[in-house]
Amino acid sequence: MKKRVVIVGGGIGGLSTAYNLRKITQELEITLISDRPYFGFTPSYPHLAMGWRKVEEITVPLGSLLPKFGIDFVNERAERIDPDGCKVFTESGREIGYDYLVIATGPRLVFEGEGVKENSVSICTVEHATEARKRFEEFCKDPGPVVVGALPGVSCFGPAYEYVLMIHRELVKRGIRRKVPITYITSEPYLGHLGLGGIGNSRRLMEDLFAEKDIRYITNVKVVGVERDKVVYEDLEGRAHEVPSRFTMIMPRFAGPDVVASAGEKVANPKNHMVIVNRCMQNPTYGNIYGVGVVVFLPPVEKTPVPTGTPKTGQMIEGMAKAVALNIVADIKGSRERYAPTLSAMCIADSGDEGVGFIANPVVPPREWVKSKRGKVVRWAKTAFEKYFLWKIKVPGEGPPHQSG
Amino acid sequence: MKKRVVIVGGGIGGLSTAYNLRKITQELEITLISDRPYFGFTPSYPHLAMGWRKVEEITVPLGSLLPKFGIDFVNERAERIDPDGCKVFTESGREIGYDYLVIATGPRLVFEGEGVKENSVSICTVEHATEARKRFEEFCKDPGPVVVGALPGVSCFGPAYEYVLMIHRELVKRGIRRKVPITYITSEPYLGHLGLGGIGNSRRLMEDLFAEKDIRYITNVKVVGVERDKVVYEDLEGRAHEVPSRFTMIMPRFAGPDVVASAGEKVANPKNHMVIVNRCMQNPTYGNIYGVGVVVFLPPVEKTPVPTGTPKTGQMIEGMAKAVALNIVADIKGSRERYAPTLSAMCIADSGDEGVGFIANPVVPPREWVKSKRGKVVRWAKTAFEKYFLWKIKVPGEGPPHQSG
Amino acid sequence: MKKRVVIVGGGIGGLSTAYNLRKITQELEITLISDRPYFGFTPSYPHLAMGWRKVEEITVPLGSLLPKFGIDFVNERAERIDPDGCKVFTESGREIGYDYLVIATGPRLVFEGEGVKENSVSICTVEHATEARKRFEEFCKDPGPVVVGALPGVSCFGPAYEYVLMIHRELVKRGIRRKVPITYITSEPYLGHLGLGGIGNSRRLMEDLFAEKDIRYITNVKVVGVERDKVVYEDLEGRAHEVPSRFTMIMPRFAGPDVVASAGEKVANPKNHMVIVNRCMQNPTYGNIYGVGVVVFLPPVEKTPVPTGTPKTGQMIEGMAKAVALNIVADIKGSRERYAPTLSAMCIADSGDEGVGFIANPVVPPREWVKSKRGKVVRWAKTAFEKYFLWKIKVPGEGPPHQSG
């Protein structure tokens, strides 16, 4: 009888795992559970928030797509995992048994701080980005100060950098830049830290970029609240300060969603409910449970005065997905070979007229090499990645995407 | 009857206003009052001090020039303004009535601190620069340490940067650079601040430039005195320090001259006697009085630990002059349209073999864009601006200069 | 009767002096005393330590070489100098009289601190570099953290920078870079200080280079000990810290060897036994004694919180050698002309795939000019210098090398 792999989550991690499995073997049943009926290309959500992309350009309906590759799609919220019974329960009460479980849900967004959720926009989901776009249009009719930033504990700073650069560019295009003081506020100890202790000369590069574009920055602080006309933050001594803002975007902290927590403390890290895995992305207690993507727990690259986390980028997640697929197939075949992905981080921010990109290889120091680049070609690289990825998952004739990472 | 516009001051501001008015309309009497018999191209005074220009290369006699354009020239010192009676009194007791008054006197130079005036040279007037040249020649016969800097409250740092770079270059040419430790000392909180909170990467650019040319720098301090062999300064805690110097140039603070003060507190800012104007360069109390150029009061771009002011650069002053001319003509015609100049700052320092330049647009943040550039082409740009400006005011066949700024 | 010049030391300084003297005149007896039977090209010792050069590629036997140029070679250790009797005594008891003495012994290496000598490798002699290579090979079989650094009082930081960059490069080539955290630890107040107060933008350049190659750095500290698995250092407040290390190279402080001390306090600086000379490299007390190379005492370029010294680089030493030769010949001829070398410093570090180089001219500020450059061409320049220098001292048909410096 064919083994069944159940994948919870339909983002880059879940989809890449499913496609990789199917590419390696037809001798498997694959079920993908997701409450969202579509795949969304997360790295382009800032573009959506800016009105530079439409929803249909960066999403793909899963219901018509997955069956083409022989992947069952269950469009429901997964509610509970029973790791001992090897079952997943969905919101409708459906019970789905598995031989192997891949948790790739993506994060639960934690908007800590008073008024943060209410008074700042977010660019972390299609719905949030769509709402952000609407609010930005209103803001432009009567502009004032803008603040973009990141809460303590944030692991994903790239979108904040990208969004603040985009806002600058958009305001210049609209001829109202000079009415808008822009501030970037962050838990990073310095500009360009990125939760990574910096990548090569990322600090200098970002400082130059921000100076050139007249974006002020406040680093090494905790944002503790957002009001309608200001952002409140604390310095390391606990003193409160504020910076005026009429349009605010603050990146939330990422945690594991409830369905991960439901699997118990051996699967979900008690502090943040993220999936506990070893170097091969396998849970140490339940060998048939794997984690892929943002929901996986990685320790911080370094301790920072205000906590920060390690980012998980698109191509890093592809690497995880490929390793998990190989490890599941190896296990089924009785082979003892296991694959540990090289977790390298590639961050690219598209600022509208140019781009700035960094690669850290591997993500956790000591690093073998790092690269940083700024210019139009970096912007094209980001756009090319988006188009290529979306084309690969949509065109059945070409087969599912193959990862090299 | 034709309206009469009286302009006090014959520098870039006064001359540009006169020429702009004449270009727009012949239906005006224009009188220009200046105690100096010539126009001097201020941005080239450092070159004069260095012996790289002769006086006749950068000055133009006004007595023969202005009448060609139908502008009356009164070569006397304006002594008093009666804003209620609409009259200007000159040193000879002459009384000149006006319908519109444009104050473009340039600054009164304030050499605060013990011995500053006696023991340091200045490059702010033709006479000062000529004296500085003489003293520099003597210095070169028996060289020692050099200090170039700026007093607290200075708004115009560009000439100090330019002059210190020129001195470096000239000493290398003369083969005595290695006998001369050069120090730049300033009220700016950091190198490249320029009274502007920096322009893009101006800090990094100037730090690199100074490091390359072995020019030491002391920032964020108050120069309080100059002796024959040293410069005395205080740090933020009020502690006194000194740096040896055998040749010193310290930029003075700019204030409004007595003739502005004589117009009373509604025209002259009580603290510094500079002309109070609104965004359209018009005095809020006396609607027929305008201010143009360095004598106009602009608030500091940002508060700095040691006070600094906002610079007014050549092309910014041209913008003011154009707006004032348009506003006067609009007022005469009974139109309610008013023009507010975009105050962008372009600073270029010619270091002899190359140049370094910055543009901030606008000068007061948030800025839409900034540029910085270093190289030979920047030097040529500065020289080209000098030649073009002087040619335009001298060649009658071509008509007065037209400003685009 | 021909005058006799005795040169103690057979490195770049001793050999260059001998060749320069012979080039100028045949009317001199020249005796060179050295305990080492070969000339070694010191700047390439880091390459030896890395296995990138073989001993025979960068050394030349002196016994067969010097007689070709009419230079007597005494292959013995010089043990005592009698400056009043104008004699040098060797270890075998031989007594060699001189008319002129040139001290070019090179340094005595001072490995201060507990365990520094035992637990760290050195790259300062052929034997040390050979041993370092062996230990590095062992280390690579079971890699861990690496520390490269410099003790308080070190004057020669170039080899430490070069070696740490080489280790990075070699580990990347071997595919084990990601297992090795690399730390550079130094008495310099900041990266790129080099004992020279920096050279132009050397700080920024080295910070960028280290960031790119993920080499961490600890500056402004005193290394006080090396254990088998860590390096112990003190900060400016005297607090002790440690950094893990399984392979350590710490540059020693340079002092004068015992043979210099034996000449008494008028020849040997009491604090460090280095040779006391004036600007013309001549001892002020004994006018027939000269110093050349690393053994000469130069005051620090600037006082640093942790002491550092002024480096003497290959081409600076060539300049000293040439001046000394000219001064000796002038003295013999009864001329009163004396030559003072321009002590400019050229530091080049070859990092394996590229190089980084700095020139300070002169070495003691104020400097007339400085240059810094990074790239493949810099690496080629270093290799070319090595090949050229070794070719020039080996090929008799071409005559001894001629210095332009």
Side-chain angles (χ1 to χ4, degrees):
Chain A
M1 207 184 104
K2 281 187 183 177
K3 300 280 185 184
R4 167 179 286 176
V5 179
V6 169
I7 298 166
V8 185
I12 293 179
L15 230 62
S16 289
T17 309
Y19 279 37
N20 268 294
L21 281 168
R22 188 48 84 228
K23 195 178 177 80
I24 303 171
T25 175
Q26 296 298 324
E27 301 307 305
L28 266 178
E29 286 184 16
I30 306 175
T31 301
L32 191 148
I33 308 174
S34 173
D35 55 344
R36 286 183 312 165
Y38 55 84
F39 162 81
F41 188 71
T42 336
S44 294
Y45 289 179
H47 298 71
L48 195 60
M50 216 69 252
W52 297 357
R53 291 285 189 288
K54 294 179 190 147
V55 173
E56 57 271 26
E57 287 177 313
I58 57 168
T59 57
V60 185
L62 291 176
S64 52
L65 183 72
L66 294 181
K68 290 186 198 167
F69 301 105
I71 299 164
D72 290 333
F73 177 48
V74 177
N75 188 194
E76 283 194 55
R77 188 152 58 79
E79 219 157 41
R80 194 162 65 82
I81 292 165
D82 171 4
D84 295 304
C86 294
K87 285 175 195 162
V88 177
F89 298 86
T90 70
E91 57 185 325
S92 71
R94 196 168 150 188
E95 193 184 311
I96 305 173
Y98 61 79
D99 296 297
Y100 297 91
L101 176 67
V102 179
I103 305 178
T105 56
R108 179 167 67 90
L109 308 175
V110 186
F111 294 93
E112 257 150 355
E114 211 177 306
V116 172
K117 182 143 196 192
E118 297 72 29
N119 297 314
S120 83
V121 303
S122 156
I123 53 175
C124 292
T125 70
V126 168
E127 294 72 26
H128 290 173
T130 306
E131 170 69 15
R133 197 199 159 176
K134 223 163 58 188
R135 287 215 223 165
F136 183 72
E137 286 300 329
E138 280 160 33
F139 163 80
C140 284
K141 289 179 200 150
D142 179 21
V146 160
V147 172
V148 171
L151 288 174
V154 159
S155 53
C156 191
F157 297 93
Y161 281 101
E162 187 165 48
Y163 192 53
V164 79
L165 290 168
M166 283 176 165
I167 287 177
H168 163 80
R169 171 71 180 159
E170 185 66 26
L171 294 174
V172 168
K173 279 203 288 186
R174 295 182 184 215
I176 52 175
R177 176 64 178 90
R178 65 186 64 182
K179 295 179 180 169
V180 182
I182 304 181
T183 305
Y184 177 80
I185 186 164
T186 183
S187 48
E188 296 157 280
Y190 52 83
L191 210 65
H193 181 280
L194 293 158
L196 288 163
I199 303 183
N201 66 345
S202 57
R203 177 180 189 162
R204 194 153 292 163
L205 208 153
M206 292 310 304
E207 284 179 359
D208 279 355
L209 200 61
F210 273 35
E212 221 172 87
K213 299 186 188 296
D214 198 22
I215 301 171
R216 302 281 159 141
Y217 46 94
I218 303 166
T219 59
N220 217 12
V221 297
K222 302 182 199 189
V223 169
V224 294
V226 180
E227 301 182 24
R228 286 194 49 171
D229 58 352
K230 63 186 165 209
V231 171
V232 185
Y233 64 96
E234 277 180 13
D235 61 26
L236 293 181
E237 282 74 40
R239 281 184 299 251
H241 307 266
E242 38 183 74
V243 52
S245 180
R246 294 260 303 282
F247 182 81
T248 306
M249 194 291 281
I250 301 286
M251 282 297 289
R253 188 162 66 75
F254 291 171
D258 292 345
V259 65
V260 178
S262 76
E265 295 211 346
K266 297 203 164 131
V267 171
N269 181 304
K271 279 169 68 177
N272 52 34
H273 296 167
M274 285 174 148
V275 182
I276 302 166
V277 294
N278 60 18
R279 289 194 323 123
C280 301
M281 314 313 292
Q282 185 181 30
N283 181 263
T285 310
Y286 299 97
N288 63 341
I289 297 185
Y290 292 85
V292 167
V294 175
V295 76
V296 158
F297 177 70
L298 293 184
V301 164
E302 61 174 23
K303 197 171 149 37
T304 49
V306 181
T308 58
T310 303
K312 289 139 204 161
T313 62
Q315 130 286 11
M316 189 199 285
I317 294 172
E318 285 194 82
M320 294 177 180
K322 191 178 179 187
V324 165
L326 289 169
N327 289 336
I328 289 174
V329 173
D331 195 63
I332 292 173
K333 287 189 182 158
S335 154
R336 307 194 66 174
E337 273 186 59
R338 287 298 178 274
Y339 303 88
T342 294
L343 299 179
S344 62
M346 179 170 67
C347 306
I348 302 183
D350 168 9
S351 60
D353 51 347
E354 58 167 345
V356 53
F358 305 102
I359 310 180
N361 181 28
V363 66
V364 179
R367 291 181 186 144
E368 195 163 312
W369 53 267
V370 301
K371 284 223 184 308
S372 63
K373 197 165 172 61
R374 179 187 164 181
K376 288 196 193 307
V377 71
V378 178
R379 184 175 188 232
W380 297 336
K382 172 135 191 179
T383 306
F385 180 54
E386 175 195 287
K387 302 295 178 217
Y388 177 77
F389 196 93
L390 287 165
W391 175 75
K392 275 302 219 180
I393 64 168
K394 278 191 279 191
V395 181
E398 300 294 317
H402 180 81
Q403 288 77 24
S404 63
Chain B
M1 207 184 103
K2 282 186 184 178
K3 300 281 184 183
R4 168 180 284 177
V5 180
V6 169
I7 298 166
V8 185
I12 292 179
L15 229 62
S16 289
T17 309
Y19 279 38
N20 268 293
L21 281 169
R22 188 47 84 229
K23 196 177 177 79
I24 302 171
T25 176
Q26 296 299 324
E27 301 307 305
L28 265 178
E29 287 183 16
I30 306 175
T31 301
L32 191 148
I33 308 174
S34 172
D35 55 343
R36 285 182 313 165
Y38 56 84
F39 163 81
F41 188 71
T42 336
S44 294
Y45 289 180
H47 298 72
L48 196 60
M50 217 69 252
W52 297 358
R53 291 284 188 289
K54 294 179 190 148
V55 174
E56 57 271 26
E57 286 177 314
I58 60 168
T59 58
V60 185
L62 291 176
S64 52
L65 183 73
L66 294 180
K68 290 186 199 167
F69 302 105
I71 298 164
D72 290 331
F73 178 48
V74 177
N75 187 194
E76 284 194 56
R77 188 152 57 79
E79 219 158 40
R80 193 162 64 82
I81 293 166
D82 171 4
D84 296 305
C86 293
K87 286 176 194 159
V88 177
F89 299 86
T90 69
E91 56 186 326
S92 71
R94 195 168 150 189
E95 194 183 311
I96 305 173
Y98 61 79
D99 295 298
Y100 298 91
L101 176 67
V102 180
I103 305 177
T105 56
R108 179 166 69 90
L109 308 175
V110 186
F111 293 94
E112 257 149 355
E114 210 177 307
V116 172
K117 182 143 196 190
E118 297 71 29
N119 297 315
S120 82
V121 303
S122 156
I123 52 175
C124 292
T125 70
V126 168
E127 294 73 26
H128 290 174
T130 306
E131 170 70 15
R133 196 198 159 175
K134 223 163 59 188
R135 287 215 223 164
F136 183 72
E137 286 301 329
E138 280 158 32
F139 164 81
C140 284
K141 288 178 200 151
D142 180 22
V146 160
V147 172
V148 171
L151 289 175
V154 159
S155 54
C156 190
F157 297 94
Y161 282 101
E162 186 165 47
Y163 192 53
V164 78
L165 290 168
M166 284 176 164
I167 288 176
H168 163 80
R169 172 73 180 158
E170 185 67 27
L171 294 174
V172 168
K173 279 203 288 187
R174 295 182 185 217
I176 52 175
R177 177 64 178 91
R178 66 186 64 182
K179 295 178 179 169
V180 182
I182 303 181
T183 305
Y184 177 80
I185 186 164
T186 183
S187 46
E188 297 157 280
Y190 51 83
L191 209 66
H193 180 281
L194 293 158
L196 288 163
I199 302 183
N201 68 345
S202 57
R203 178 179 188 163
R204 194 154 289 163
L205 208 153
M206 293 311 305
E207 284 178 359
D208 279 355
L209 200 62
F210 274 35
E212 222 173 86
K213 300 187 188 296
D214 198 21
I215 300 170
R216 303 280 159 141
Y217 46 93
I218 302 166
T219 60
N220 217 12
V221 297
K222 303 182 199 189
V223 169
V224 293
V226 178
E227 301 182 24
R228 286 194 49 170
D229 58 351
K230 64 186 166 212
V231 172
V232 184
Y233 64 96
E234 276 181 14
D235 61 26
L236 293 181
E237 281 75 39
R239 282 184 299 251
H241 306 265
E242 36 183 75
V243 53
S245 180
R246 293 260 301 282
F247 181 81
T248 307
M249 194 292 281
I250 300 287
M251 282 298 288
R253 188 163 65 77
F254 291 170
D258 291 344
V259 65
V260 179
S262 76
E265 295 211 347
K266 298 204 164 132
V267 171
N269 182 304
K271 280 169 69 177
N272 51 34
H273 297 168
M274 284 173 150
V275 183
I276 301 166
V277 295
N278 60 18
R279 287 194 325 123
C280 301
M281 314 313 291
Q282 186 181 29
N283 182 261
T285 309
Y286 299 97
N288 63 342
I289 297 185
Y290 292 84
V292 167
V294 175
V295 76
V296 158
F297 177 69
L298 293 184
V301 165
E302 62 173 24
K303 198 170 146 42
T304 49
V306 181
T308 58
T310 303
K312 289 138 204 162
T313 63
Q315 129 287 10
M316 189 199 287
I317 294 171
E318 285 193 82
M320 293 178 181
K322 191 179 180 186
V324 165
L326 290 169
N327 289 337
I328 288 174
V329 173
D331 195 62
I332 292 171
K333 288 189 183 158
S335 153
R336 307 195 65 173
E337 273 186 60
R338 287 298 178 274
Y339 303 88
T342 295
L343 299 178
S344 63
M346 179 171 68
C347 305
I348 302 183
D350 167 10
S351 61
D353 51 348
E354 58 166 345
V356 54
F358 306 101
I359 310 180
N361 182 27
V363 66
V364 179
R367 290 180 186 145
E368 194 163 314
W369 54 267
V370 300
K371 284 224 183 309
S372 62
K373 197 165 171 60
R374 179 186 164 182
K376 289 195 193 308
V377 72
V378 178
R379 183 174 191 232
W380 297 336
K382 172 136 191 178
T383 306
F385 180 53
E386 175 195 288
K387 303 295 178 217
Y388 177 77
F389 196 93
L390 287 166
W391 176 75
K392 274 302 216 181
I393 64 167
K394 278 191 279 190
V395 180
E398 300 294 317
H402 179 81
Q403 288 79 22
S404 62
Chain C
M1 206 183 101
K2 282 186 183 178
K3 299 280 186 185
R4 167 179 285 176
V5 179
V6 169
I7 298 166
V8 185
I12 293 179
L15 230 61
S16 289
T17 309
Y19 279 38
N20 268 293
L21 281 168
R22 188 47 84 229
K23 194 178 178 79
I24 302 172
T25 176
Q26 296 298 325
E27 301 307 305
L28 266 177
E29 287 184 15
I30 306 175
T31 301
L32 191 147
I33 308 175
S34 172
D35 55 344
R36 285 183 312 164
Y38 56 83
F39 162 81
F41 188 70
T42 337
S44 294
Y45 289 179
H47 298 71
L48 195 60
M50 216 70 251
W52 297 358
R53 292 284 188 288
K54 294 178 189 147
V55 173
E56 57 270 27
E57 287 177 313
I58 59 167
T59 58
V60 185
L62 291 176
S64 52
L65 183 73
L66 294 180
K68 289 184 198 168
F69 301 105
I71 298 163
D72 290 332
F73 177 49
V74 177
N75 187 194
E76 285 195 54
R77 187 151 58 79
E79 219 157 41
R80 193 161 66 80
I81 292 165
D82 171 3
D84 296 304
C86 294
K87 285 176 195 161
V88 177
F89 299 86
T90 70
E91 57 185 326
S92 71
R94 197 168 147 188
E95 192 183 312
I96 304 173
Y98 61 80
D99 296 297
Y100 297 91
L101 176 67
V102 180
I103 305 178
T105 57
R108 180 166 67 90
L109 308 175
V110 186
F111 293 94
E112 258 150 355
E114 211 176 307
V116 173
K117 181 142 198 190
E118 297 71 29
N119 297 314
S120 84
V121 303
S122 155
I123 53 175
C124 292
T125 70
V126 168
E127 294 73 25
H128 289 174
T130 306
E131 170 70 15
R133 197 200 159 175
K134 222 162 59 188
R135 288 215 222 164
F136 183 72
E137 286 300 330
E138 279 160 32
F139 164 81
C140 284
K141 288 179 201 151
D142 180 21
V146 160
V147 172
V148 171
L151 289 175
V154 159
S155 53
C156 192
F157 297 93
Y161 281 100
E162 187 165 47
Y163 192 53
V164 78
L165 290 168
M166 284 176 164
I167 288 176
H168 163 80
R169 171 74 179 158
E170 185 67 26
L171 294 174
V172 167
K173 279 203 287 187
R174 295 182 184 216
I176 52 174
R177 175 65 178 89
R178 64 187 65 182
K179 295 179 180 169
V180 182
I182 303 182
T183 305
Y184 177 80
I185 187 164
T186 183
S187 47
E188 296 158 279
Y190 52 83
L191 209 66
H193 180 279
L194 293 158
L196 288 163
I199 302 184
N201 67 346
S202 58
R203 178 180 188 161
R204 194 154 291 163
L205 209 152
M206 292 311 303
E207 284 179 359
D208 278 355
L209 200 62
F210 273 35
E212 221 173 88
K213 298 186 188 297
D214 198 21
I215 301 170
R216 301 281 159 140
Y217 46 94
I218 302 167
T219 60
N220 216 12
V221 297
K222 303 181 199 190
V223 169
V224 294
V226 179
E227 301 182 24
R228 286 195 50 171
D229 57 352
K230 64 184 165 212
V231 171
V232 184
Y233 63 96
E234 277 180 14
D235 60 27
L236 293 181
E237 281 75 40
R239 281 184 300 251
H241 306 266
E242 37 183 74
V243 52
S245 180
R246 293 261 302 284
F247 181 81
T248 306
M249 194 291 281
I250 300 287
M251 280 299 289
R253 188 164 65 76
F254 291 171
D258 292 345
V259 66
V260 179
S262 76
E265 294 211 347
K266 297 203 163 132
V267 171
N269 181 304
K271 280 169 68 178
N272 52 34
H273 296 168
M274 284 173 149
V275 181
I276 301 167
V277 294
N278 60 19
R279 288 194 324 123
C280 300
M281 315 313 293
Q282 186 182 30
N283 181 263
T285 308
Y286 299 97
N288 63 342
I289 297 185
Y290 292 84
V292 167
V294 175
V295 75
V296 158
F297 177 70
L298 292 184
V301 164
E302 62 173 23
K303 198 170 147 39
T304 49
V306 180
T308 58
T310 303
K312 290 138 203 161
T313 62
Q315 129 286 10
M316 189 198 287
I317 295 171
E318 285 195 82
M320 293 178 181
K322 190 178 178 186
V324 165
L326 290 169
N327 288 336
I328 288 174
V329 173
D331 195 63
I332 292 172
K333 287 189 183 158
S335 154
R336 306 195 66 175
E337 273 186 60
R338 287 298 177 273
Y339 303 88
T342 295
L343 299 179
S344 63
M346 179 170 68
C347 306
I348 302 183
D350 167 9
S351 60
D353 52 348
E354 58 166 344
V356 53
F358 305 102
I359 311 181
N361 181 29
V363 66
V364 178
R367 289 180 187 145
E368 195 162 313
W369 53 268
V370 301
K371 282 221 183 312
S372 63
K373 199 166 170 57
R374 179 186 164 183
K376 288 195 193 307
V377 71
V378 178
R379 183 172 191 235
W380 297 335
K382 172 136 190 179
T383 307
F385 180 54
E386 175 195 288
K387 302 294 178 217
Y388 177 78
F389 196 93
L390 288 165
W391 175 76
K392 274 302 218 181
I393 65 168
K394 277 191 280 190
V395 181
E398 300 294 317
H402 179 81
Q403 287 80 20
S404 63

